[in-house]
Amino acid sequence: MSKENKARKGSRRNLLRLAFLASAIVPAPVLAGDLSGVVISDSLDRPVRGATVSVEGTDIAATTDASGRYVLYGLPAGDYTLAIVQPGYQGQTIQVTVPEAGSVTANGRIALIESAEGEAIVVTGARASRLLAIERKRALPVVADIVSSDGIGKLPDYNTAEALQRLPGVSVEVDQSEPRYVTIRGVDSNLNLVTIDGNTVGIPEAEGRRVALDTIPSDLVGAIEVIKTVTPDYDANAIGGSVNIVTPTAYDQGTPFTYVSARGIYAGKADKLGFGASAMHGQTFGDADQFGIVIGASYSKRFIDSDLVDPLSWQEIDTGLWAPTGFRMFDYSIMRERIGAIANLEWRPSDDLRLYVNTIYNEFTDHEGRDQFDYDMFRGTVTFPSANEVTYDSGRATREFRQNEQTQKLYNISPGVDWRFGNVELKLNYTYAHAQEHTPVRDDIEFRTGSSNVSTILLGEGMPTFSAVDPALFDPEAYPLRRIRLRRETIDEDLHAIKADLQIDFENGTDSFVKFGGKFTDRSKDRDNYQELWTPTDDVTFGDTGAVLDADPDYYGGRYAFGPTMDYYGVLDYFFVQNPGLLELDQEATAFNDKASDYRLSEQIYAGYAMASLEFGALTVIGGARVEHTSGTYDAFAIRDTDGNGEIEVSDIAPLSFDKEYTHVLPSLALNYRPQPDLVFRAAWTNTIGRPNYSDTVPTFEEEDGDGAAGNPDLEPYTSMGLDFSAEFYPDADTVLALATFYKKIENPIYTETIYDTTFAGVDLISLSQPQNADSGELFGVEANLVTRFAFLPAPFDGFGISANATFVDSSVDVPGREDDDLPFFRQSKWLAGGALFYEKGPLEARFAVSYRDAYLTGVGSGPDFDGYTGSRTVLDARLGYRILEGVEVFASVSNIGEEPLVGYQGYSDRINAREDYGVNADFGISAKF
């Protein structure tokens, strides 16, 4: 380029800069217009997020939003060339003329670089999921990881929580082999913010603030964002991070879409076949497609069996010799049913106005039958027949059956409006969320022997086993009835949230803006637990009932003899129908249990924030602060032995109400540096909070089988300061290479302290668990993530690819009385890793995946020997899909291929105190898009 041409180009750039600077200060001049448009991916048939649209020859540029839209304000009238850039896509230029006044639209379509001679390659399936997730991750202004649905309308996994465990720094807590709660960077799942389309979700459970993500069917989800560094416009209760579930809209794709799927669900251990089906339809209609609708429904039913063996209460019974002093065995038979539906409605009369109503309903039913065999062995003395054997001369056994039928419901309705006035955008939203957990049946039937049973256990590597067992343990006549407990519980939560966000974009040819907002959240929660305790009026044994079933010969692979099992309905019929005079209601215990765990709370959160996002060339600075004031009233019942007679009477139960208020000012700063389109460096300083769990802070007390749990009204909320740094490289649309490091300083962390052989509220207990505040804790970690397709290999091997991630976290926590012990942070795994080898070529898709989670601390005891841990776990999964027609796929998947158990231990990994065995699960079916 000649010096003369360079001078002309520089003069024009300077004139444009002056024009934009003037337009940011004074109203737009008459001889200027606004330029906007939407960028669509030909390959995905969806709007492109994060594409850069720039005016050639200037520094003026804008980035497309979630709808693929960009806006350039106050362009002087004239002819321009727009350049569209997105890593992995062919660049495109658009010629446009800006009028002297008004606005002009310039839309663009881009295709993947691999497209030949301009012919678009349509991408579906797992690759579509990956491309959308990478695109979304790159575009967000925060450190985040994404799971996105594919072109057949599904996530990579059928369980929403399961899909997230593939992401770096994310692990899951399982319940009956199903991933349920999501843990981000090892921080307790109760400290995550969970939203649906950015709106608060109700919490159906009584104990914590976490949301069971397996309640929400993945069939109804468009994407899930895991935000690890929140900005001031996010709610502050996000010490772990924010999990935002994004539901589909009619404008996600360029044409109407219909998804249907059906599948069988086989449980290997239960040897039963369940099934599932889903359907979704979305389309736009009306003049200029101003109306949009998405409706969808999902149903599934599956069966689960599992065996759990707990060698309990390890003690030093001889010098240097530790052994369990009790055994507990569970034999589970479970049916789980999920129902989900969404209805998202939109009206877009213009590019500047959007009105919507998003609605989602989820219902999760769990029917559980549980046979239980407890053996309290150490009630006398011990002898040692050999170096690795222990004989207990006096033990008491219990046979129990629990029938638990529970349904959780989540319902959100969120109407709102997004309204743009020139460079000002106002967003208003109201959310009503209802959450319920209804347990119409939770019955326990308990038969117990005397204390004369003699047995010998064999110690060694792995699980202790029995080398000699008292035959009386398997004799139904040796078990007199102890009690029958009939429990019913309803938990209801209603939440109302109103929020307003006002964003003012700078008219300077960048994506700079200032933003202000406020939010009011009103949450009310009620827990009503009713229990009846029935005790025998005469000696009646398990054998007398005629409700004895044969033992399961395959229980735990035959390693442990479980003994006779129970016909739950037969026992109830024997006592309540055939022989009602054999039972009497324990009035005192019923009165105690009826109030012990009830509570009611009302919690209001007032929040406001101010922030700015300023763009300085390749650097974007986002800074601001959020203020949250929490005000709550908590009602429960104080249960105390007021007269000191060692018994709880009705007069010892009294209503208790207390108020709690606290305010937090939470500044934050985030930096995003993009020296080139495919390279992003991020840094963030964040401050967040964590409110105590409901059951932790209300003064409730529950006892079961000698184990007690109590609340603690004196708990302080968590506070956290975090530092994050990351580098992300996107050389093509299929690839991301990311490296991140993070540090968190957490004040007032809450842990569960367990005290053995104690008394609380006049009740003698084997153990008491109660939440306490620790002093502080620290986390320091490194995450690495690689996703790529081996397109450089010769065919057919170019269909192979890999996703791999690893996270290392070093943590510590200071617990009163344990200052000299090197304790890791609660629920913090030192290592997390996952990955998948995949193949995608033509109609075939295959994946073999692994997820690894290291051991973590679950509870703190009186010393290192009594701390509770959950052991490490490695899970292998595989999936195979084949496209039999355009848009139609048959598939099969297998999860938990290695039948990996869930293990807990006391103090040291060789002192196992829980080991639950699960079987292999398989899914197979068909899915289609029309």
Side-chain angles (χ1 to χ4, degrees):
M1 181 181 293
S2 68
K3 291 183 179 179
E4 183 178 353
N5 286 337
K6 287 182 178 179
R8 289 175 180 172
K9 183 177 179 181
S11 298
R12 187 181 183 197
R13 183 185 299 120
N14 291 333
L15 287 173
L16 285 170
R17 284 177 174 171
L18 289 173
F20 287 127
L21 181 60
S23 68
I25 300 173
V26 300
V30 174
L31 300 180
D34 295 337
L35 174 61
S36 65
V38 175
V39 177
I40 300 293
S41 166
D42 273 337
S43 306
L44 296 171
D45 191 29
R46 299 192 183 205
V48 178
R49 184 172 187 169
T52 301
V53 181
S54 60
V55 178
E56 285 194 347
T58 75
D59 295 331
I60 303 162
T63 303
T64 56
D65 62 13
S67 300
R69 187 169 185 261
Y70 71 93
V71 181
L72 296 169
Y73 298 101
L75 277 171
D79 296 329
Y80 297 96
T81 299
L82 300 183
I84 303 174
V85 176
Q86 175 78 341
Y89 281 81
Q90 299 178 34
Q92 186 192 26
T93 59
I94 303 174
Q95 303 299 320
V96 62
T97 299
V98 176
E100 294 181 350
S103 61
V104 66
T105 299
N107 298 325
R109 298 186 70 90
I110 57 176
L112 291 170
I113 289 177
E114 64 199 73
S115 299
E117 298 179 356
E119 181 182 354
I121 295 178
V122 179
V123 179
T124 61
R127 189 184 179 198
S129 294
R130 190 169 62 254
L131 291 176
L132 289 167
I134 291 174
E135 175 186 298
R136 203 177 192 109
K137 173 182 173 67
R138 175 184 167 274
L140 285 171
V142 293
V143 178
D145 288 289
I146 315 295
V147 174
S148 184
S149 67
D150 67 8
I152 311 294
K154 63 181 183 298
L155 293 177
D157 296 276
Y158 305 116
N159 180 310
T160 304
E162 184 179 7
L164 290 178
Q165 73 175 335
R166 316 291 178 193
L167 299 180
V170 177
S171 62
V172 294
E173 298 176 52
V174 300
D175 180 72
Q176 295 298 334
S177 80
E178 287 192 305
R180 170 163 285 189
Y181 304 107
V182 170
T183 300
I184 303 173
R185 291 175 167 176
V187 177
D188 188 346
S189 54
N190 287 290
L191 301 177
N192 293 335
L193 169 65
V194 176
T195 58
I196 296 178
D197 296 320
N199 302 311
T200 309
V201 181
I203 300 169
E205 297 181 3
E207 289 77 17
R209 294 180 181 266
R210 60 188 180 178
V211 176
L213 292 181
D214 63 338
T215 303
I216 303 172
S218 62
D219 311 72
L220 306 180
V221 175
I224 311 174
E225 301 171 334
V226 178
I227 310 298
K228 299 174 180 178
T229 58
V230 296
T231 48
D233 48 348
Y234 286 85
D235 287 356
N237 54 307
I239 290 180
S242 171
V243 178
N244 182 38
I245 298 169
V246 182
T247 60
T249 78
Y251 296 90
D252 286 343
Q253 300 187 41
T255 57
F257 56 88
T258 300
Y259 305 136
V260 294
S261 70
R263 68 182 188 272
I265 309 169
Y266 177 73
K269 195 169 184 63
D271 194 23
K272 293 181 180 179
L273 182 65
F275 60 93
S278 66
M280 182 182 295
H281 176 75
Q283 71 172 83
T284 59
F285 58 94
D287 294 339
D289 292 324
Q290 60 180 297
F291 296 101
I293 182 172
V294 172
I295 55 174
S298 174
Y299 176 84
S300 69
K301 184 177 184 178
R302 65 173 301 183
F303 300 92
I304 303 170
D305 282 5
S306 66
D307 299 335
L308 171 63
V309 174
D310 297 347
L312 296 172
S313 302
W314 287 73
Q315 296 183 29
E316 189 176 22
I317 58 175
D318 198 21
T319 304
L321 178 63
W322 286 76
T325 58
F327 260 88
R328 182 170 59 196
M329 304 180 194
F330 294 126
D331 189 356
Y332 287 97
S333 180
I334 297 171
M335 183 280 292
R336 286 182 172 172
E337 183 181 54
R338 291 178 175 87
I339 300 171
I342 64 167
N344 291 345
L345 310 176
E346 289 186 69
W347 180 38
R348 299 185 179 186
S350 70
D351 290 339
D352 295 325
L353 181 61
R354 171 179 175 253
L355 291 91
Y356 62 90
V357 178
N358 289 348
T359 306
I360 186 167
Y361 174 84
N362 299 285
E363 182 177 315
F364 171 68
T365 298
D366 184 291
H367 282 195
E368 173 187 305
R370 187 187 78 185
D371 267 295
Q372 181 175 338
F373 173 42
D374 285 1
Y375 186 22
D376 180 10
M377 300 180 294
F378 194 15
R379 304 182 66 84
T381 58
V382 298
T383 55
F384 307 98
S386 67
N388 59 348
E389 287 185 306
V390 179
T391 297
Y392 296 95
D393 70 352
S394 180
R396 183 174 66 188
T398 302
R399 293 205 174 271
E400 185 173 348
F401 189 93
R402 169 174 293 175
Q403 182 69 23
N404 188 66
E405 299 177 7
Q406 184 179 90
T407 298
Q408 288 187 352
K409 296 179 181 179
L410 291 174
Y411 173 71
N412 264 41
I413 179 168
S414 299
V417 58
D418 299 345
W419 201 349
R420 179 174 290 276
F421 310 85
N423 65 320
V424 178
E425 184 178 33
L426 175 65
K427 293 186 176 183
L428 302 174
N429 176 270
Y430 164 74
T431 296
Y432 169 70
H434 178 71
Q436 182 186 78
E437 182 177 273
H438 180 49
T439 309
V441 176
R442 191 179 183 184
D443 297 342
D444 292 285
I445 303 169
E446 186 178 335
F447 296 88
R448 177 179 285 181
T449 71
S451 300
S452 58
N453 301 293
V454 180
S455 296
T456 301
I457 62 171
L458 180 65
L459 301 173
E461 295 184 2
M463 293 277 287
T465 56
F466 287 93
S467 57
V469 183
D470 196 318
L473 297 177
F474 309 118
D475 180 8
E477 301 294 340
Y479 289 84
L481 178 69
R482 183 189 178 211
R483 62 185 180 182
I484 297 177
R485 289 193 296 181
L486 308 178
R487 291 182 277 185
R488 313 287 182 264
E489 184 172 73
T490 299
I491 302 160
D492 279 294
E493 177 174 297
D494 287 292
L495 182 143
H496 302 268
I498 302 172
K499 64 178 179 178
D501 300 281
L502 180 68
Q503 180 172 314
I504 305 172
D505 296 329
F506 289 7
E507 297 185 354
N508 61 353
T510 73
D511 287 325
S512 298
F513 62 84
V514 293
K515 190 175 181 182
F516 309 91
K519 183 177 181 180
F520 171 71
T521 304
D522 180 59
R523 185 191 304 267
S524 60
K525 195 178 190 79
D526 183 274
R527 182 186 191 185
D528 183 16
N529 183 288
Y530 174 74
Q531 300 187 30
E532 293 179 1
L533 179 63
W534 295 85
T535 56
T537 59
D538 200 356
D539 288 339
V540 183
T541 68
F542 181 24
D544 293 334
T545 66
V548 180
L549 301 177
D550 293 336
D552 179 2
D554 297 324
Y555 177 80
Y556 218 82
R559 293 180 61 190
Y560 296 92
F562 190 91
T565 57
M566 195 179 304
D567 178 355
Y568 158 73
Y569 296 103
V571 173
L572 292 187
D573 182 74
Y574 178 83
F575 283 107
F576 289 100
V577 179
Q578 301 178 35
N579 302 284
L582 291 177
L583 294 177
E584 65 179 359
L585 183 65
D586 187 328
Q587 301 285 352
E588 296 288 346
T590 296
F592 169 79
N593 291 327
D594 183 43
K595 301 297 184 184
S597 57
D598 289 358
Y599 68 76
R600 177 174 295 171
L601 65 86
S602 175
E603 193 174 75
Q604 292 78 41
I605 301 171
Y606 306 84
Y609 72 89
M611 61 182 287
S613 177
L614 305 176
E615 192 174 284
F616 303 95
L619 176 66
T620 301
V621 180
I622 305 172
R626 186 179 185 91
V627 179
E628 289 201 354
H629 175 75
T630 304
S631 175
T633 299
Y634 307 87
D635 299 321
F637 291 90
I639 303 174
R640 299 292 183 266
D641 181 15
T642 55
D643 55 12
N645 64 357
E647 297 181 359
I648 296 295
E649 302 169 354
V650 175
S651 59
D652 295 326
I653 305 172
L656 175 66
S657 180
F658 67 95
D659 298 328
K660 201 160 192 174
E661 294 190 27
Y662 43 88
T663 301
H664 293 90
V665 179
L666 305 162
S668 67
L669 179 67
L671 306 177
N672 289 276
Y673 180 58
R674 301 174 185 262
Q676 54 196 51
D678 57 3
L679 187 61
V680 185
F681 297 96
R682 306 184 196 268
W685 169 59
T686 56
N687 289 275
T688 51
I689 62 171
R691 298 177 179 89
N693 290 337
Y694 305 126
S695 61
D696 287 352
T697 197
V698 294
T700 56
F701 172 58
E702 297 180 79
E703 178 272 336
E704 183 172 333
D705 298 332
D707 297 322
N712 183 356
D714 296 325
L715 289 175
E716 295 294 330
Y718 301 73
T719 60
S720 173
M721 186 279 292
L723 298 173
D724 286 78
F725 302 93
S726 72
E728 302 162 12
F729 181 46
Y730 303 88
D732 56 61
D734 284 280
T735 301
V736 58
L737 175 60
L739 184 65
T741 182
F742 58 90
Y743 168 82
K744 285 186 185 291
K745 174 77 170 181
I746 302 177
E747 303 289 346
N748 305 319
I750 297 171
Y751 69 100
T752 300
E753 182 179 44
T754 303
I755 304 173
Y756 295 92
D757 298 321
T758 187
T759 299
F760 186 85
V763 179
D764 292 330
L765 299 170
I766 298 172
S767 67
L768 173 66
S769 298
Q770 189 175 36
Q772 304 287 346
N773 280 117
D775 294 334
S776 64
E778 292 182 310
L779 309 174
F780 174 78
V782 178
E783 291 175 351
N785 182 33
L786 170 65
V787 180
T788 191
R789 193 165 61 99
F790 301 147
F792 57 87
L793 294 176
F797 303 105
D798 55 344
F800 279 106
I802 189 172
S803 65
N805 65 78
T807 303
F808 172 78
V809 182
D810 186 27
S811 65
S812 64
V813 64
D814 295 327
V815 175
R818 301 284 302 277
E819 290 85 358
D820 294 333
D821 294 332
D822 185 18
L823 290 169
F825 199 79
F826 313 114
R827 299 186 178 275
Q828 175 61 66
S829 296
K830 179 159 285 191
W831 282 100
L832 299 172
L837 177 66
F838 57 82
Y839 183 82
E840 301 159 0
K841 187 75 173 179
L844 180 65
E845 290 184 358
R847 181 189 72 187
F848 182 79
V850 59
S851 297
Y852 172 78
R853 174 192 45 73
D854 207 355
Y856 58 83
L857 179 69
T858 55
V860 176
S862 57
D865 290 313
F866 300 99
D867 295 335
Y869 289 85
T870 293
S872 60
R873 193 164 188 257
T874 304
V875 179
L876 303 176
D877 304 312
R879 186 184 188 278
L880 181 66
Y882 188 82
R883 191 170 64 252
I884 57 176
L885 296 170
E886 187 64 35
V888 181
E889 180 193 58
V890 293
F891 61 85
S893 66
V894 182
S895 60
N896 196 23
I897 294 173
E899 300 189 29
E900 184 76 1
L902 183 64
V903 177
Y905 58 89
Q906 179 185 312
Y908 300 92
S909 59
D910 59 344
R911 299 176 191 170
I912 296 174
N913 63 3
R915 190 178 191 275
E916 188 163 13
D917 274 7
Y918 309 117
V920 173
N921 299 310
D923 289 65
F924 53 92
I926 186 169
S927 60
K929 175 186 178 181
F930 303 101

